Amino acid sequence: GAVVSQHPSWVICKSGTSVKIECRSLDFQATTMFWYRQFPKQSLMLMATSNEGSKATYEQGVEKDKFLINHASLTLSTLTVTSAHPEDSSFYICSARGDRELGQPQHFGDGTRLSIL
Amino acid sequence: EDQVTQSPEALRLQEGESSSLNCSYTVSGLRGLFWYRQDPGKGPEFLFTLYSAGEEKEKERLKATLTKKESFLHITAPKPEDSATYLCAVRSFGNEKLTFGTGTRLTIIP
């Protein structure tokens, strides 16, 4: 149980294009979803937290207009990197949690490797 | 502010050589401490949640323990497939977020 699917797993695109990454909880309802960025050999850096039906809460230093997050249902959140540039190249990982109060763990997707040429 | 420190940064063991990974933490009030395993190019895989001091959880060759200041991940008779980065994270009361340590990169040599 607690499976999170992330798609695509790998994307290469030209500078200036927008890229959408999907994160789905397959066997549970995710009241809260998280988006992380991970640089090589470093730990996860939280970008934003989203609750279903609400606007996302972004971490300090993360551009809201650059990284658009939508959490329209209890099983789907999307991250859109708008007008992507080479410095946006990274490994993006989503996670989902089924309950806000009981201290349940976050379950992670397998990540999306984004390369901007 | 919640803080997590993991040690060692990297650990190389012979197959069958047992050892422990350390996670020291500082939180205002612990909601949960989480252990994850991450393979290269993959997202973290959930292993254990610990909620209170004295609690222990086991899964195959792994055992996690918790005190008021630290957690240990004990690995008994490891196999090469146990090679991965092990991440520790904490969540404090009233906080949506996890605070992660930088991980321990474990290599098991056949």
Side-chain angles (χ1 to χ4, degrees), chain A residues 32 34 36 38 43-44 46 49 51 59 91 93 97 100-110 113, chain B residues 31-32 34 36 38 41-46 48-49 51 87 91 95-98 100-103 105:
Chain A
T32 310
F34 304 83
Y36 294 84
Q38 189 174 33
S43 195
L44 290 84
L46 181 65
T49 302
N51 292 298
E59 294 300 298
F91 190 51
I93 312 175
R97 190 179 66 216
R100 299 178 68 175
E101 300 303 326
L102 295 181
Q104 294 300 309
Q106 294 180 24
H107 296 280
F108 288 82
D110 267 345
R113 186 157 304 283
Chain B
R31 191 67 190 87
F34 306 88
Y36 290 88
Q38 186 175 24
K42 298 287 188 180
E45 174 190 350
F46 170 69
F48 304 109
T49 307
Y51 294 106
L87 297 169
R91 182 184 174 196
N95 195 344
E96 290 272 22
K97 304 183 290 188
L98 291 180
F100 279 90
T102 51
R105 190 168 64 256

Side-chain angles (χ1 to χ4, degrees), chain A residues 6-64:
Chain A
Q6 190 171 338
H7 179 80
S9 57
W10 188 35
V11 59
I12 302 174
C13 59
K14 293 181 179 179
S15 182
T17 57
S18 293
V19 179
K20 180 183 282 189
I21 302 170
E22 290 190 350
C23 179
R24 294 180 184 272
S25 56
L26 298 186
D27 54 1
F28 68 102
Q29 293 187 324
T31 53
T32 310
M33 286 185 165
F34 304 83
W35 287 95
Y36 294 84
R37 188 170 177 175
Q38 189 174 33
F39 294 100
K41 297 189 177 181
Q42 294 188 24
S43 195
L44 290 84
M45 182 187 80
L46 181 65
M47 299 174 65
T49 302
S50 72
N51 292 298
E52 185 264 340
S54 303
K55 287 185 178 180
T57 301
Y58 290 81
E59 294 300 298
Q60 191 171 7
V62 177
E63 298 177 59
K64 300 178 183 181

